[in-house]
């Protein structure tokens, strides 16, 4: 027995020695002694490896034995070093600048550069290379760093150095994160990633937003980064139509890893086309991409940043080449804040023949578990593939210690005492908040500027509310909101109380209820904003909005039944009362115009549109987004933008006799919509189409009709569903209808070609709407315009059949 135990102990020790890992580390420099940032270090002929940091320092762990390490960087000649990993080794490496020769190239006048034929071959093979890997899985490490290179001393009255924890020159790291994931892919576009560990400097409870899929940029696609840095996307140097947009120049050939690699410079044919600049490396005969060193500038139409560099290195895996290092470097300047940063991804341990179980790809593109951010510094020291730079180490230590301090009740109490200070100016513009982050309790007081307005029904109105929110364990939360409203002309006080309980964030499941009384727009989809109606009433003697009073009780619940399928149920009790104008006050008296009555169908006489009545209804709806993708985090489930339409079906029943209800109707509708359908260089399209019908309209009043989002104002907030020239109230229906909206944004396709307009970065758009119902048959409108960020201006025409109704300018804003 003793001998057996001894043998067992000996075998265990032997296994430990065999499995023991040793650290190979060093600095990678060029021949001039300067560090080579983000150079790749891989075991030769494998996808096991790492990347150097921005200072050229690297660390790789190897089991005991002999290995050949390959050191690569775009722009440098690859070096291989044999190491005997029987102990820790310091191995510094000097990389020579790449040497590409132009041998055997006869240059003649007017002759085509040999790069063109290489690119033509790569274009022919593009689709084959795009689709040749049907599925794969790999390990991914992502590191993101953002630095502030300069900033104004103060911004909106606040000391930037103190707020952002910068040095005396207002410079410093403002974001530092790392993550490790297992990434899985299956063609055509199935993705599933599970985050294993996550670390964000200064936020002990936060999760990194790094996603491996965000760094996988495939130049075998025709268009890249669509709807990210630009609405149009950017053309690949080997896209099917690339020769129309690029010029090419051969910079020579070189043998690397047994293959001939062509180095080709890509040059825009036109300065402001949405294209890349830089170098692409193509392997001879197979015509695959070997490396990329490409960048985008403002001239290409990127938003938010000035320059983006994309550096990729590929390694042979079986018979194909897969990316092992991807690096995005960027810089920019916004409102005096100069910033720069990078995201680097290290891809390793590829499996090109994964056996995914059935239903493995279920729409969940990223899963972040509760324990992801609980790994300590010892774990990261042992598992971090890219060494930290000295300032990154300091940033972690400093911000993590501050983060721990910030979690204490004493610190939070002192912080909240400062942040919760009352200010009259702040209350007027932003509202006032009282936060208790330690106990997760939050009070929010409405801003006064949104609480005071005017209409002819109530006169001067004060509407004010306070919201209280409490967050429980697992991000379950509830909120309560009391609200009161008083009109000085009609001397009417109304008040309500509402509440919401989010009981399952992962299922997007909640219950809400409200009761009280209040003043509401007769169009339940809304007409004008309160401030817009105030300005039109007081300055132009135009009281567009029409109101009524109701006492109400309602309860509704919503829950996700399956991925992309959201269900909701609602029960509503309303006691509705018609109101009349109480005042005709205005700042300027227009002799040619008078305020209209509160009845939109009887503008000159105050005739009640409906009697006081009770309405009880129940509504059920289902909304399904085709191909919905989502991210699961401990704090909830978050949908991403879908490439496919959203379909909604709804049934509403007016319940006669229930709780004294005076209505009896059945209404059904179906809608399909989709935002930002990418059309490559031509921009994107958004659409919405809906059809509905009252199966039964035995007893109903105007408020129960199907209303539409109209507009008769020059300035309004944008909404695809909104008709730009349709009256708010005149064409509501209690029968059937069909409506459709279509808008296409060219994203600067035309203006980018006009030098005088190019720098303005304007986007041109066209659109239209259509409505058909018994009240308004064959109504249509068309418009065209320009926009820049959240501001847009358009000119349009409205028709009733073939008859033109109106035309004019419209200005809309998105803030």
């Amino acid at each position: 027995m003793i001998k057996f135990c001894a043998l067992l102990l000996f075998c265990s020790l032997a296994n430990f020695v065999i499995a023991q890992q040793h650290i190979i580390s060093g600095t990678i420099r060029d021949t001039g002694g300067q560090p080579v940032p983000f150079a790749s270090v891989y075991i030769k002929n494998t996808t096991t490896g790492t990347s150097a940091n921005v200072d050229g320092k690297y660390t790789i762990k190897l089991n005991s034995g002999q290995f050949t390490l390959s050191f690569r960087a775009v722009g440098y000649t690859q070096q291989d070093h044999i190491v005997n990993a029987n102990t820790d080794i310091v191995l510094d490496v000097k990389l020579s600048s790449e040497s590409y020769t132009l041998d055997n190239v006869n240059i003649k006048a007017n002759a085509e550069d040999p790069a063109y034929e290489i690119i033509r071959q790569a274009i022919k093979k593009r689709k084959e290379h795009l689709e040749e890997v049907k599925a794969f899985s790999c390990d991914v490490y992502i590191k993101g760093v953002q630095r502030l290179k300069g900033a104004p001393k103060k911004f909106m009255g606040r000391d930037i150095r103190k707020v952002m924890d910068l040095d005396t020159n207002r410079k410093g790291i403002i974001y530092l994160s790392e993550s490790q994931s297992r990434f899985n892919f299956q063609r055509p576009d199935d993705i599933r990633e599970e985050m294993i560990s996550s670390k964000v400097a200064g936020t002990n409870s936060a999760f990194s937003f790094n996603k491996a899929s965000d760094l996988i940029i495939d130049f075998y696609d025709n268009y890249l980064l669509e709807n990210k840095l630009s609405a149009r996307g950017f053309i690949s140097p080997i896209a099917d139509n690339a020769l129309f947009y690029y010029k090419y120049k051969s910079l020579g050939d070189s043998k690397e890893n047994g293959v001939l690699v062509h180095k080709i410079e890509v040059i825009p044919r036109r300065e402001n086309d949405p294209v890349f600049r830089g170098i692409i490396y193509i392997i001879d005969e197979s015509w695959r991409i070997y490396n990329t060193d490409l960048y985008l500038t403002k001239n290409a139409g990127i938003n938010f940043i000035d320059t983006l560099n994309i550096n990729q290195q590929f390694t042979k895996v079986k018979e194909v080449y897969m990316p092992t290092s991807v690096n995005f470097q960027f810089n920019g300047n916004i409102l005096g804040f100069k910033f720069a940063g990078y995201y680097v991804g290290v891809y390793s341990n590829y499996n090109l023949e994964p056996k995914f179980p059935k239903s493995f790809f279920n729409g969940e593109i990223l899963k972040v578990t509760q324990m992801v951010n609980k790994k300590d510094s010892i774990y990261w020291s042992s598992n971090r593939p890219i060494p930290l730079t000295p300032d990154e180490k300091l940033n972690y230590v400093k911000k993590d210690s501050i983060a721990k301090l910030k979690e204490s009740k004493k610190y939070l109490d002192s912080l909240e005492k400062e942040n919760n200070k009352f200010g009259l100016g702040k209350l007027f513009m932003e509202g006032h908040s009282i936060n208790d982050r330690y106990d997760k309790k939050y009070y929010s007081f409405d801003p006064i500027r949104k609480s005071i307005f005017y209409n002819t029904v109530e006169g001067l109105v004060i509407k004010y509310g306070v919201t209280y929110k409490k967050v429980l364990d697992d991000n379950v939360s509830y909120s309560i909101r009391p609200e009161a409203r008083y009109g000085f002309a009609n001397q009417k006080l109304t008040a309500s109380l509402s509440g919401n309980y989010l009981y399952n964030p992962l299922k997007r499941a909640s219950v809400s209820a409200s009761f009280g009384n209040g003043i509401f727009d007769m169009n339940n989809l809304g007409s004008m904003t309160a401030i817009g109606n105030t300005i039109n009433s007081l300055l132009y003697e135009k009281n567009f909005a029409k109101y009524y009073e109701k006492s109400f009780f309602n309860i509704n619940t919503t829950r996700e039944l399956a991925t992309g399928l959201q269900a909701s149920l609602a029960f509503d009790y309303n006691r509705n009362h018609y109101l009349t104008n109480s005042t005709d006050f205005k700042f300027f008296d227009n002799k040619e115009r008078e305020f209209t009555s509160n009845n939109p169908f009887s503008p000159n006489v105050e005739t009640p549109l409906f009697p006081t009545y009770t309405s009880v209804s129940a509504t059920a709806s289902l909304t399904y987004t085709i191909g919905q993708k989502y991210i699961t985090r401990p704090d909830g489930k978050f949908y991403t933008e879908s490439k496919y339409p959203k379909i909604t079906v709804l049934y509403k029943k007016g319940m006669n006799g229930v709780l004294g209800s005076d209505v009896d109707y059945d209404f059904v509708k179906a809608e399909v919509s989709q935002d930002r359908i990418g059309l490559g260089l031509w921009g994107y399209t958004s659409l919405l189409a809906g059809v509905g019908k009252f199966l039964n309209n035995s007893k109903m009043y105007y408020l129960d009709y199907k209303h539409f989002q109209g507009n008769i104002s020059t300035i309004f907030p944008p909404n695809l569903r909104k008709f730009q020239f349709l009256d708010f109230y005149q064409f509501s229906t209690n029968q059937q209808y069909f409506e459709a909206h279509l808008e296409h944004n060219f994203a600067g396709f035309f203006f980018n070609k006009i030098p005088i307009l190019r720098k303005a970065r304007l986007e041109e758009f066209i659109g239209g709407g259509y409505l058909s119902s018994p009240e308004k048959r064959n109504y249509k409108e068309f418009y065209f315009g320009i926009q820049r960020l959240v501001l847009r201006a358009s000119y349009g025409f409205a028709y009733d059949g073939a008859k033109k109704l109106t035309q004019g300018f419209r200005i809309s804003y998105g803030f």
Side-chain angles (χ1 to χ4, degrees):
M1 184 65 181
I2 295 175
K3 290 182 178 179
F4 174 77
C5 291
L7 180 62
L8 184 62
L9 178 60
F10 174 78
C11 292
S12 298
L13 290 173
N15 286 333
F16 173 76
V17 172
I18 292 171
Q20 186 176 5
Q21 290 187 315
H22 300 285
I23 298 175
I24 315 299
S25 62
T27 304
I28 304 171
R29 295 185 173 89
D30 60 21
T31 52
Q34 296 300 310
V36 178
F38 308 114
S40 292
V41 184
Y42 277 78
I43 300 175
K44 190 168 185 178
N45 298 324
T46 75
T47 59
T48 300
T50 185
S51 170
N53 66 16
V54 70
D55 294 333
K57 296 187 180 297
Y58 75 94
T59 298
I60 186 170
K61 291 183 179 180
L62 302 176
N63 293 329
S64 297
Q66 188 179 85
F67 299 88
T68 301
L69 292 181
S70 295
F71 294 82
R72 282 180 58 191
V74 176
Y76 296 88
T77 300
Q78 177 178 315
Q79 279 193 30
D80 294 339
H81 290 265
I82 298 174
V83 296
N84 292 305
N86 298 318
T87 184
D88 292 351
I89 298 174
V90 174
L91 176 62
D92 293 333
V93 175
K94 282 192 176 182
L95 295 182
S96 302
S97 297
E98 60 189 4
S99 177
Y100 280 75
T101 63
L102 288 168
D103 294 345
N104 303 318
V105 176
N106 296 318
I107 300 176
K108 299 179 181 178
N110 300 321
E112 183 183 68
D113 193 291
Y116 283 87
E117 181 57 29
I118 296 168
I119 291 295
R120 289 192 187 97
Q121 295 298 331
I123 292 173
K124 287 180 183 178
K125 287 282 196 175
R126 181 196 67 81
K127 190 172 182 181
E128 177 185 327
H129 292 155
L130 176 67
E131 300 176 351
E132 65 184 342
V133 178
K134 304 302 180 185
F136 70 84
S137 61
C138 66
D139 295 324
V140 185
Y141 166 81
I142 299 175
K143 179 180 178 182
V145 178
Q146 296 179 35
R147 300 172 186 270
L148 209 57
K149 297 291 189 178
K153 290 183 178 181
K154 289 190 175 182
F155 187 76
M156 298 184 70
R158 305 186 70 181
D159 189 326
I160 294 300
R161 181 187 169 194
K162 291 182 179 179
V163 171
M164 305 188 75
D165 193 25
L166 305 174
D167 63 20
T168 54
N169 296 314
R170 295 185 299 284
K171 298 180 180 180
I173 296 175
I174 56 176
Y175 178 77
L176 169 60
S177 74
E178 298 174 276
S179 67
Q180 294 174 307
S181 301
R182 185 66 182 172
F183 182 74
N184 306 279
F185 171 83
Q186 180 174 273
R187 199 158 292 284
D189 59 358
D190 289 326
I191 288 172
R192 186 169 182 180
E193 178 181 357
E194 182 167 0
M195 193 171 285
I196 298 168
S197 57
S198 169
K199 184 173 178 61
V200 182
T203 49
N204 296 328
S205 59
F207 301 95
S208 167
F209 292 102
N210 301 342
K211 293 208 316 287
S213 55
D214 287 342
L215 289 186
I216 292 185
I217 179 169
D218 195 338
F219 284 96
Y220 292 122
D221 284 320
N222 281 321
Y223 304 101
L224 304 106
L225 300 172
E226 194 172 3
N227 282 330
K228 292 182 179 178
L229 294 177
S230 167
R232 287 198 289 163
F234 305 93
I235 304 163
S236 168
I238 58 169
D240 292 338
N241 59 346
L243 290 170
F244 179 75
Y245 291 94
Y246 288 98
K247 294 185 289 185
Y248 303 92
K249 181 180 180 181
S250 175
L251 300 180
D253 309 320
S254 176
K255 277 276 188 179
E256 290 198 27
N257 290 317
V259 295
L260 184 65
V261 178
H262 303 285
K263 181 181 181 181
I264 297 172
E265 183 180 5
V266 298
I267 307 162
R269 284 190 179 273
R270 291 162 293 275
E271 185 68 19
N272 296 97
D273 277 346
V275 296
F276 296 86
R277 295 156 169 79
I279 311 295
I280 188 168
Y281 298 76
I282 304 292
I283 299 173
D284 192 60
E285 295 185 350
S286 70
W287 314 113
R288 303 176 192 274
I289 297 174
Y290 186 68
N291 289 327
T292 68
D293 188 12
L294 299 167
Y295 61 96
L296 295 167
T297 68
K298 278 187 174 181
N299 288 339
I302 57 175
N303 296 319
F304 311 116
I305 59 176
D306 294 339
T307 306
L308 173 68
N309 176 260
I310 302 172
N311 186 298
Q312 296 175 307
Q313 295 182 38
F314 292 78
T315 297
K316 190 173 184 180
V317 183
K318 294 186 176 180
E319 298 303 316
V320 300
Y321 282 76
M322 302 296 292
T324 49
S325 175
V326 179
N327 186 1
F328 284 50
Q329 296 186 65
F330 55 87
N331 62 68
N333 186 341
I334 299 177
L335 300 176
F337 291 86
K338 299 177 182 179
F339 61 89
Y342 67 84
Y343 280 85
V344 58
V346 178
Y347 296 79
S348 59
N349 303 321
Y350 276 98
N351 178 5
L352 299 189
E353 297 178 353
K355 304 298 181 184
F356 297 126
K358 188 177 180 181
S359 301
F360 180 77
F361 296 101
N362 57 3
E364 184 181 46
I365 61 173
L366 176 62
K367 182 177 183 179
V368 183
T369 62
Q370 187 72 48
M371 298 304 295
V372 157
N373 60 2
K374 305 304 181 185
K375 306 291 195 302
D376 59 18
S377 57
I378 297 175
Y379 170 87
W380 281 103
S381 296
S382 302
N383 291 276
R384 176 183 289 118
I386 301 179
L388 297 175
T389 62
D391 65 336
E392 291 167 357
K393 289 179 182 178
L394 181 62
N395 189 261
Y396 266 138
V397 171
K398 183 178 179 180
K399 288 186 176 178
D400 287 354
S401 61
I402 293 174
K404 289 180 180 179
L405 173 64
K406 287 180 178 180
E407 291 175 354
S408 68
K409 189 176 188 310
K410 181 179 179 181
Y411 180 87
L412 286 174
D413 286 346
S414 64
L415 183 68
E416 304 299 12
K417 184 177 180 180
E418 179 67 24
N419 291 339
N420 294 340
K421 281 184 178 179
F422 177 80
L424 192 59
K426 181 181 177 183
L427 177 65
F428 181 83
M429 293 300 298
E430 306 172 24
H432 180 60
S433 61
I434 301 176
N435 300 323
D436 183 348
R437 281 181 281 186
Y438 187 82
D439 289 326
K440 298 181 179 179
K441 295 188 296 186
Y442 309 90
Y443 298 85
S444 177
F445 296 81
D446 291 351
I448 292 177
R449 66 182 177 87
K450 291 185 178 181
S451 301
I452 302 175
F453 49 92
Y454 172 87
N455 62 66
T456 55
V457 171
E458 302 169 275
L460 180 66
V461 180
I462 295 179
K463 177 185 175 183
Y464 202 77
V466 179
T467 303
Y468 167 77
K469 181 178 180 180
K470 169 69 175 176
V471 180
L472 307 173
D473 294 337
D474 299 323
N475 290 287
V476 172
S477 66
Y478 66 86
S479 63
I480 300 172
R481 176 179 171 83
E483 183 179 282
R485 176 171 178 154
Y486 182 74
F488 284 87
N490 64 351
Q491 297 182 349
K492 186 176 288 291
L493 174 66
T494 59
S496 63
L497 182 67
S498 59
N500 178 269
Y501 177 49
L502 178 65
Y503 63 89
N504 189 337
L506 294 181
K507 288 293 184 181
R508 301 160 64 91
S510 65
V511 176
S512 61
S514 62
F515 71 92
N517 66 332
I519 310 297
F520 296 89
D521 197 309
M522 289 186 188
N523 184 330
N524 62 359
L525 296 179
S527 55
M528 299 194 72
T529 63
I531 186 63
N533 188 64
T534 300
I535 293 172
N536 276 282
S537 298
L538 293 177
L539 300 184
Y540 305 109
E541 206 168 342
K542 295 180 178 180
N543 55 329
F544 290 126
K546 309 301 178 183
Y547 298 97
Y548 74 104
E549 180 186 359
K550 73 175 178 181
S551 301
F552 60 90
F553 167 76
N554 62 61
I555 183 169
N556 63 75
T557 180
T558 182
R559 183 183 177 90
E560 183 187 64
L561 302 181
T563 298
L565 180 63
Q566 194 80 13
S568 66
L569 294 171
F571 174 85
D572 292 274
Y573 171 92
N574 300 313
R575 182 70 174 169
N576 303 313
H577 179 67
Y578 181 79
L579 298 174
T580 60
N581 288 340
S582 300
T583 179
D584 62 356
F585 176 81
K586 58 271 186 183
F587 289 156
F588 305 104
D589 187 10
N590 188 325
K591 301 302 182 181
E592 299 179 357
R593 186 182 298 127
E594 295 290 339
F595 283 128
T596 59
S597 77
N598 196 47
N599 183 338
F601 298 92
S602 177
N604 300 320
V605 181
E606 282 286 10
T607 304
L609 180 58
F610 53 85
T612 298
Y613 74 99
T614 299
S615 170
V616 175
S617 64
T619 306
S621 69
L622 287 172
T623 299
Y624 180 63
T625 304
I626 301 171
Q628 181 67 72
K629 309 291 185 182
Y630 63 94
I631 297 170
T632 304
R633 299 203 317 251
D635 54 338
K637 188 173 186 177
F638 303 90
Y639 283 155
T640 61
E641 193 81 22
S642 176
K643 298 191 298 182
Y644 304 101
K646 177 189 295 183
I647 300 170
T648 299
V649 292
L650 176 144
Y651 170 69
K652 185 174 183 179
K653 171 66 178 175
M655 306 166 70
N656 187 41
V658 177
L659 298 177
S661 176
D662 299 314
V663 299
D664 181 11
Y665 61 86
D666 295 89
F667 173 69
V668 294
K669 79 167 186 177
E671 283 185 357
V672 59
S673 62
Q674 186 173 358
D675 289 331
R676 301 180 73 94
I677 305 169
L679 298 178
L681 296 182
W682 289 96
Y684 60 89
T685 295
S686 300
L687 61 86
L688 181 148
V691 60
K693 181 177 177 61
F694 283 89
L695 305 176
N696 159 40
N697 61 359
S698 298
K699 194 173 183 182
M700 57 190 304
Y701 300 91
Y702 179 78
L703 300 178
D704 309 304
Y705 284 25
K706 163 60 184 174
H707 304 287
F708 305 98
Q709 286 197 12
N711 175 66
I712 51 179
S713 175
T714 302
I715 302 175
F716 63 96
N719 186 337
L720 180 64
R721 188 186 294 271
K722 183 181 284 290
F723 291 98
Q724 298 200 17
F725 297 93
L726 187 72
D727 188 273
F728 297 124
Y729 306 101
Q730 293 287 332
F731 307 110
S732 301
T733 184
N734 67 346
Q735 296 186 59
Q736 67 275 347
Y737 73 92
F738 170 74
E739 73 170 314
H741 305 266
L742 180 70
E743 183 173 292
H744 181 76
N745 187 313
F746 289 96
F749 182 85
F750 298 106
F751 285 166
N752 194 52
K753 296 175 173 56
I754 305 174
I756 197 171
L757 297 176
R758 186 179 296 139
K759 289 186 178 181
R761 297 193 182 184
L762 299 174
E763 298 178 0
E764 56 281 88
F765 62 86
I766 58 173
Y770 177 84
L771 175 65
S772 181
S773 70
E775 291 76 15
K776 194 68 173 175
R777 296 187 182 276
N778 203 25
Y779 170 84
K780 46 190 175 290
E781 58 183 40
F782 308 95
Y783 57 88
F784 60 91
I786 57 175
Q787 75 174 49
R788 177 74 174 111
L789 300 177
V790 297
L791 293 174
R792 47 192 272 160
S794 64
Y795 193 85
F797 307 83
Y799 295 85
D800 192 353
K803 178 184 176 183
K804 185 167 75 172
L805 298 176
T806 187
Q807 66 187 66
F809 284 100
R810 291 290 185 263
I811 298 172
S812 57
Y813 56 91
F815 49 83

